[in-house]
Amino acid sequence: MSSVTLKGNPIETVGELPAVGTQAPAFELVKTDLSLATLSDYQGAKLVLNVFPSIDTPTCATSVRKFNESAAALKGVNVLCVSADLPFAAARFCGAEGIDHVDTGSSFRSSFGDDYGLTFSTGPLVGLLSRAVIVLDENGSVLYTEQVAEIADEPDYDAALAVLG
């Protein structure tokens, strides 16, 4: 298990992020049109997984906006924003914000959070996902991971994007 903080208070997750150099676990997430997004759907391109607790919080919304801006300029790279929010929340947010360079996926009926070690097991956010960025190569191998130590903080966008070059 991993430990992060929420306003300085420790919160634990169910496990650890996949290690750099390992194969990322397969996943099924629900897209805004209620179809499934799977890891194999992204085979052949690099993939940035922007994982966060809820799109309806300021830091999470900011990460989606920033990765959307970055994704517009990236060739051969997809960005998938993942939370336990219902797909309707992601569709509402992205529509209102003009977000159109990233995909969204809901973990609400999958084992994604457990498989990636990101589901909160203690604290007020139990069941939601810890803020993290995971970058995969074209074959699903892990190139980079960051689990943000303080949930209210943004991820290190530059470090995540640097491995894509």
Side-chain angles (χ1 to χ4, degrees):
M1 99 187 75
S2 216
S3 184
V4 296
T5 59
L6 174 62
K7 298 180 182 176
N9 298 306
I11 297 179
E12 295 177 350
T13 64
V14 297
E16 304 284 334
L17 287 172
V20 171
T22 64
Q23 188 66 27
F27 60 76
E28 285 188 349
L29 299 166
V30 181
K31 299 190 304 187
T32 58
D33 66 0
L34 302 181
S35 66
L36 293 179
T38 67
L39 179 58
S40 62
D41 293 340
Y42 294 95
Q43 193 105 22
K46 291 181 181 172
L47 179 63
V48 176
L49 296 170
N50 173 35
V51 186
F52 49 86
S54 176
I55 196 120
D56 289 318
T57 63
T59 306
C60 300
T62 297
S63 73
V64 173
R65 287 184 198 105
K66 287 193 177 181
F67 276 116
N68 184 64
E69 291 169 15
S70 299
L74 298 172
K75 303 290 185 236
V77 177
N78 292 298
V79 177
L80 180 58
C81 298
V82 181
S83 71
D85 290 315
L86 292 177
F88 314 113
R92 172 189 41 77
F93 176 82
C94 291
E97 295 277 332
I99 305 286
D100 58 359
H101 298 294
V102 299
D103 295 333
T104 60
S106 173
S107 67
F108 86 102
R109 62 179 184 206
S110 80
S111 62
F112 176 90
D114 292 346
D115 297 342
Y116 280 74
L118 292 170
T119 304
F120 289 121
S121 59
T122 63
L125 301 178
V126 166
L128 296 180
L129 304 177
S130 178
R131 184 176 320 287
V133 176
I134 304 160
V135 180
L136 308 177
D137 72 9
E138 297 85 352
N139 300 308
S141 182
V142 179
L143 296 173
Y144 171 87
T145 64
E146 175 193 12
Q147 185 168 32
V148 179
E150 168 56 49
I151 297 165
D153 291 345
E154 292 179 54
D156 186 342
Y157 304 104
D158 292 337
L161 297 173
V163 302
L164 297 170

